[in-house]
């Protein structure tokens, strides 16, 4: 308990320091003037937030609107780097996106829509023209991928998990997510809720060599759940998910600093 209290005190003073030195602490709808924000699609609520010039081959992606720590970590890091863009889904602060019109009502998890199979399972239609809704969502997903991701060489995804939820322990042999994982590196020094999920041996070796928790996806046998990691593997695009525990802002920013080092070594 004392360690947890100490951690939150340290986090408070770290955020206070950011304010003092002029780095903005972002709320959901509060973004620094140094950022250029564009977007808003019909079904996918896409906002692209850029700090300086975009990277030509690298895209950072945040799709779950209820995972605010990940968004904050990304925006703070981009502001420090003064370059790059975050493609961000912003809607009502929930995990799933809900669409309700006079003609149709449905919802879906935005990280389960990037393949046809995953999208068909993810869309939960309550009323109206469900077949039409599925086709319309498919068209918008394909448009989103073509506009933002298909030309990328590296995708950096940002997610959060909750206490008692997903952690590196789920991926070790015998864990609930251990199927179709090629390799897992567990650091005794890191919070189990802070881990990387990657699709390339290159990223696995780089990040595990820096004492992080890392999961390497088996791209041949992984279950097609429609997630971005599955799509990226099929496209042979390097994919890194920086998954942090909710509230673990400092540690998630340290993870993104490691991603930045990876980018500098292999892509910039």
């Amino acid at each position: 308990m004392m360690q947890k209290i100490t951690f939150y005190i340290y986090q408070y003073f770290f955020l206070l320091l950011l304010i003092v030195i002029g780095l903005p602490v972002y709320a959901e709808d509060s973004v620094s003037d140094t950022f250029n924000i564009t977007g808003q699609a019909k079904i996918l609520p896409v906002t692209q937030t850029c700090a300086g010039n975009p990277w030509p081959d690298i895209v950072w992606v945040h799709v779950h609107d209820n995972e605010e720590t990940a968004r904050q970590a990304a925006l703070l890091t981009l502001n420090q780097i003064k370059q790059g863009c975050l493609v961000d889904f912003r809607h009502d602060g929930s995990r799933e996106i809900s669409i309700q019109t006079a003609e149709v009502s449905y919802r879906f998890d935005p990280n389960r829509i990037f393949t046809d199979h995953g999208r068909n399972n993810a869309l939960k239609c309550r009323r109206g023209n469900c077949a039409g809704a599925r086709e319309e969502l498919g068209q918008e997903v394909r448009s989103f991928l073509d506009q933002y991701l298909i030309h990328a060489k590296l995708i950096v995804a940002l997610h959060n998990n909750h206490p008692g939820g997903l952690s590196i322990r789920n991926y070790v042999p015998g864990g609930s997510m251990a199927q179709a994982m090629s390799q897992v590196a567990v650091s005794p020094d890191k919070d189990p809720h802070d881990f990387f999920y990657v699709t390339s041996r290159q990223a696995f070796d780089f990040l595990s060599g820096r004492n992080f928790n890392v999961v390497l996806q088996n791209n041949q046998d992984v279950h097609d759940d429609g997630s971005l990691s599955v799509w990226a593997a099929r496209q042979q695009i390097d994919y890194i998910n920086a998954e942090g525990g909710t509230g673990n802002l400092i540690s998630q920013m340290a993870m993104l600093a490691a991603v930045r080092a990876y980018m500098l070594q292999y892509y910039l």
Side-chain angles (χ1 to χ4, degrees):
M1 176 64 72
M2 182 60 65
Q3 289 180 335
K4 182 176 290 188
I5 292 172
T6 302
F7 171 80
Y8 285 118
I9 292 173
Y10 177 73
Q11 185 179 65
Y12 169 80
F13 282 108
F14 177 81
L15 293 175
L16 184 61
L17 176 63
L18 294 180
I19 295 172
V20 171
I21 65 177
L23 294 179
V25 179
Y26 297 97
E28 180 179 337
D29 56 358
S30 175
V31 182
S32 167
D33 290 340
T34 62
F35 283 90
N36 175 29
I37 305 174
T38 60
Q40 293 306 333
K42 182 179 180 183
I43 298 173
L44 297 181
V46 182
T47 297
Q48 180 172 253
T49 307
C50 295
N53 295 324
W55 294 299
D57 303 319
I58 303 170
V59 182
W60 288 19
V61 182
H62 177 263
V63 299
H64 286 144
D65 199 20
N66 65 328
E67 297 176 359
E68 184 62 26
T69 303
R71 176 183 286 137
Q72 299 284 333
L75 294 177
L76 283 166
T77 302
L78 289 177
N79 193 65
Q80 291 174 344
I81 296 171
K82 301 299 183 185
Q83 187 179 7
C85 297
L86 176 68
V87 178
D88 190 11
F89 289 2
R90 299 192 180 200
H91 43 105
D92 61 357
S94 61
R95 179 183 179 89
E96 293 189 326
I97 293 175
S98 296
I99 304 296
Q100 296 191 43
T101 69
E103 293 77 28
V104 68
S105 173
Y106 62 93
R107 59 189 174 90
F108 56 89
D109 183 328
N111 197 36
R112 295 292 181 266
I113 60 173
F114 297 106
T115 68
D116 293 341
H117 177 75
R119 187 164 54 252
N120 288 338
N121 291 329
L123 192 144
K124 302 166 186 175
C125 190
R126 293 185 285 263
R127 62 171 176 80
N129 183 359
C130 297
R134 187 170 289 107
E135 176 59 28
E136 187 175 30
L137 176 60
Q139 290 176 358
E140 184 145 341
V141 170
R142 289 187 287 272
S143 177
F144 168 79
L145 293 172
D146 288 344
Q147 180 175 353
Y148 292 102
L149 299 181
I150 195 63
H151 302 296
K153 293 181 180 178
L154 172 65
I155 295 171
V156 179
L158 299 111
H159 286 276
N160 291 134
N161 53 72
H162 302 279
L166 196 65
S167 79
I168 192 68
R169 298 190 185 105
N170 293 93
Y171 296 94
V172 299
S176 62
M177 305 289 288
Q179 310 92 324
M181 297 300 121
S182 286
Q183 194 170 346
V184 180
V186 179
S187 169
D189 304 319
K190 304 296 184 184
D191 187 321
H193 291 280
D194 301 331
F195 64 92
F196 290 104
Y197 184 99
V198 305
T199 60
S200 73
R201 170 65 61 178
Q202 175 178 274
F204 180 87
D205 290 344
F206 184 92
L207 295 166
S208 62
R210 283 154 179 77
N211 198 33
F212 288 99
N213 296 315
V214 192
V215 178
L216 176 60
Q217 176 177 280
N218 185 324
N219 296 330
Q220 284 69 48
D221 296 333
V222 67
H223 170 65
D224 180 6
D225 61 358
S227 62
L228 190 54
S229 67
V230 173
W231 178 85
R234 290 181 178 179
Q235 302 297 321
Q236 298 184 316
I237 298 172
D238 199 1
Y239 170 95
I240 298 174
N241 170 26
E243 176 98 20
T246 296
N248 293 357
L249 178 62
I250 296 171
S251 56
Q252 195 160 21
M253 289 184 68
M255 294 171 71
L256 293 180
V259 171
R260 168 67 171 164
Y262 178 79
M263 290 162 49
L264 287 169
Q265 179 158 330
Y266 293 106
Y267 293 101
L268 298 177

